[in-house]
Amino acid sequence: MPNLPDVVLWSIPAFVLLTVVEMISVRVHPDEDAAGYAAKDAATSVTMGLGSLAFDLLWKVPIVAIYTAVHELTPLRVPVLWWTIPLMLLAQDFFYYWSHRGHHVVRVLWACHVVHHSSEKFNLTTALRQPWTSLTVWPFYLPLIAMGVHPAALAFCSSANLVYQFWIHTERIDRMPRWFEYVFNTPSHHRVHHASQGGYLDRNFGGILIVWDRMFGSYVPETERPVYGLTKNIRTYNPLRVATHEYAAIARDLRAAANWRERAGRVFRGPGWQPQDRHVTGAAVSTDARTGLGTGLETDAKIDGRLDAKTETPTDTPTDKPTGVKTGTKPGAKTDPKARPAAEETVVA
């Protein structure tokens, strides 16, 4: 077994120090337009992070067993050397992109990942707001194990990816140098990912690199100031509810489903999927269509934590741009931080 360090464990002092520095910075040099800090929100994020560490130990038992079995069966072997580690990091980041993207467009996977998007703040404690049900992630990395990457090496690469993403959860950094912004994930790119505006939804999935988003059509630059959280926020600091609220919503939808086709759709289709025979008569959705993602969900609006409501958009009905949003506004522009965009609301005739 490769003897690789636990980068998350070694990074904990840096996490604490940087968070304290950011808190002091926000207090000394406040930005009235920034989301900033809230004590209860930060406490919930830290609690979710600590809980994820405990639950991850539980999930590791079956995952390590599966990975070990696949690694033993494959004849391929990737040695852990100074020059193979960067290649494994690159490959892991590629599969992370697809895992992250999948957790946005398949509802049962979104039920896990929604935890990380549930804060209306965006600061370094938000990076710690991790799910307790990460058992849904492991299938995306099976190809790496089948190609001969040792499970311990994959764990190292995944930890390095997670540690990298800590520093990009901040509003205190505007933009990095242009070349850096083009290649790597940055606070600017990740602010877009955490935003709830229609044009920002389901974009910028990269971990360390942003080039995958540029390659596969999911990249959007930061123009207007993001409004963080879910379009329909859960309004709770209860860690148990934060961890499970979307699973509870799925259970309610399954109980109300008319048939097995609808039940399957409620679980495996997009988070806002509705059967065609249940759309509201005379209603139209004003939403920014998510074209270019190749998910087949361009007119699906996220509900139960993404959008207030959802109806199927008729093919002959034009999709309007979100209203109440000043497009092209620079991130530093003065706007009312309490004003939420009117994007993606259901307009009933």
Side-chain angles (χ1 to χ4, degrees):
M1 177 183 296
N3 185 19
L4 296 168
D6 187 335
V7 291
V8 172
L9 183 63
W10 282 97
S11 299
I12 289 176
F15 291 169
V16 175
L17 177 62
L18 290 173
T19 301
V20 171
V21 169
E22 185 186 47
M23 287 180 174
I24 295 173
S25 173
V26 169
R27 179 63 64 90
V28 175
H29 297 289
D31 179 353
E32 63 183 30
D33 292 329
Y37 272 85
K40 288 184 178 180
D41 179 85
T44 300
S45 294
V46 172
T47 301
M48 297 305 299
L50 294 174
S52 73
L53 293 176
F55 280 100
D56 282 351
L57 291 176
L58 177 64
W59 307 137
K60 279 181 180 178
V61 175
I63 293 172
V64 169
I66 295 171
Y67 280 175
T68 301
V70 173
H71 189 260
E72 289 298 320
L73 289 172
T74 181
L76 304 175
R77 289 292 181 270
V78 177
V80 179
L81 303 171
W82 68 268
W83 62 271
T84 60
I85 290 178
L87 295 176
M88 287 189 285
L89 282 169
L90 181 66
Q92 189 276 336
D93 195 61
F94 174 77
F95 285 105
Y96 171 86
Y97 169 85
W98 290 107
S99 171
H100 194 180
R101 185 164 168 170
H103 278 73
H104 274 252
V105 299
V106 177
R107 191 181 182 190
V108 70
L109 302 184
W110 170 247
C112 164
H113 186 62
V114 68
V115 170
H116 187 60
H117 287 263
S118 61
S119 174
E120 295 179 61
K121 306 296 182 181
F122 189 77
N123 52 59
L124 293 178
T125 65
T126 309
L128 306 178
R129 188 175 286 228
Q130 297 294 324
W132 294 356
T133 55
S134 55
L135 192 62
T136 58
V137 174
W138 67 268
F140 290 90
Y141 298 105
L142 273 177
L144 280 177
I145 302 297
M147 287 187 289
V149 175
H150 195 280
L154 174 59
F156 169 80
C157 294
S158 297
S159 297
N161 196 310
L162 184 65
V163 168
Y164 176 89
Q165 291 186 61
F166 177 77
W167 77 278
I168 63 177
H169 290 81
T170 184
E171 293 184 289
R172 306 306 288 179
I173 298 174
D174 184 12
R175 300 291 173 90
M176 300 297 290
R178 183 181 237 173
W179 67 268
F180 197 95
E181 292 279 342
Y182 191 83
V183 176
F184 294 98
N185 199 4
T186 66
S188 177
H189 299 326
H190 208 57
R191 286 192 291 267
V192 168
H193 181 70
H194 274 258
S196 59
Q197 288 102 312
Y200 283 170
L201 283 177
D202 298 342
R203 302 289 176 169
N204 298 1
F205 300 110
I208 296 175
L209 301 176
I210 200 67
V211 294
W212 312 123
D213 291 280
R214 296 183 186 276
M215 290 173 61
F216 298 112
S218 55
Y219 171 73
V220 166
E222 183 183 32
T223 53
E224 59 185 298
R225 181 174 287 276
V227 178
Y228 305 110
L230 308 169
T231 310
K232 182 180 178 182
N233 288 298
I234 56 177
R235 309 294 184 186
T236 182
Y237 298 113
N238 184 328
L240 184 60
R241 189 181 169 202
V242 171
T244 62
H245 71 274
E246 182 65 9
Y247 293 106
I250 291 175
R252 289 194 297 269
D253 286 344
L254 290 177
R255 285 196 298 269
N259 50 55
W260 283 104
R261 180 184 177 278
E262 182 181 345
R263 293 186 184 97
R266 296 293 190 184
V267 175
F268 299 110
R269 297 291 295 271
W273 178 84
Q274 293 278 347
Q276 292 184 358
D277 57 354
R278 289 202 177 191
H279 65 267
V280 179
T281 303
V285 176
S286 176
T287 181
D288 188 86
R290 289 175 287 158
T291 57
L293 291 182
T295 63
L297 304 174
E298 286 79 4
T299 59
D300 282 347
K302 300 285 180 78
I303 60 172
D304 288 317
R306 291 295 274 182
L307 294 184
D308 294 334
K310 187 271 178 195
T311 56
E312 296 289 341
T313 303
T315 56
D316 59 349
T317 302
T319 302
D320 298 327
K321 292 183 179 179
T323 59
V325 178
K326 294 181 179 179
T327 57
T329 304
K330 298 299 181 183
K334 299 298 183 182
T335 57
D336 184 358
K338 294 181 180 179
R340 297 183 64 83
E344 316 204 6
E345 296 177 351
T346 301
V347 180
V348 181

